[in-house]
Amino acid sequence: TAIGLIRTAAIKSGAEVILSSSWRYFYKPEEAGDFFGIPIYRRTPWTLKGSRMRWSEITEFLEENPCEKYCIIDDETDFLPEQEDFLVRTDEKNGLSYQDFEKILKILEVPQTEKGLW
């Protein structure tokens, strides 16, 4: 499942999962994490008013929480060109694919084994 692939990517890379989807409007990170069975540590900033785009919320989060590497997983298209190298755009109908999972691991610099497997 998609959640299983994200969980595996987080474990293999040591990444923290940060909620930036619309789920953050309705659930605390711990609640969403419990629902999905994956630790979610924080959420990006948001406002119910105004016209903030997800790219600006992620940018603000990263300015306040610098990190060496990150990966954005989303089916939306409202991202900046400089975020494209860190973006795995999933298919809105089919969700996260195994090819997306492989791209996540490459972005997060998870080394392959000698057999080429993650």
Side-chain angles (χ1 to χ4, degrees):
T1 68
I3 294 301
L5 292 175
I6 290 173
R7 183 183 307 110
T8 300
I11 291 168
K12 288 185 174 288
S13 68
E16 292 183 356
V17 177
I18 310 300
L19 192 62
S20 67
S21 74
S22 58
W23 280 70
R24 73 190 191 281
Y25 299 135
F26 310 106
Y27 302 97
K28 294 177 182 177
E30 317 78 57
E31 294 169 333
D34 288 346
F35 179 81
F36 290 118
I38 183 171
I40 297 178
Y41 293 89
R42 291 175 276 176
R43 59 183 171 201
T44 57
W46 55 276
T47 179
L48 294 175
K49 298 179 182 176
S51 59
R52 294 192 57 181
M53 302 292 278
R54 188 144 328 143
W55 66 263
S56 68
E57 296 165 343
I58 291 172
T59 298
E60 182 179 329
F61 180 87
L62 290 171
E63 286 172 354
E64 294 174 5
N65 303 277
C67 61
E68 291 181 26
K69 49 192 163 190
Y70 67 94
C71 181
I72 302 166
I73 306 166
D74 208 311
D75 64 355
E76 296 292 331
T77 59
D78 62 342
F79 292 97
L80 297 173
E82 54 266 29
Q83 292 173 321
E84 289 291 323
D85 289 343
F86 306 97
L87 175 64
V88 174
R89 186 167 289 120
T90 60
D91 182 276
E92 65 183 47
K93 292 181 182 175
N94 298 316
L96 186 79
S97 69
Y98 189 80
Q99 289 77 24
D100 295 333
F101 169 72
E102 290 178 321
K103 187 174 180 184
I104 292 166
L105 295 179
K106 285 180 183 178
I107 290 170
L108 296 176
E109 300 174 357
V110 175
Q112 289 183 310
T113 66
E114 65 276 357
K115 295 181 180 180
L117 302 174
W118 300 102

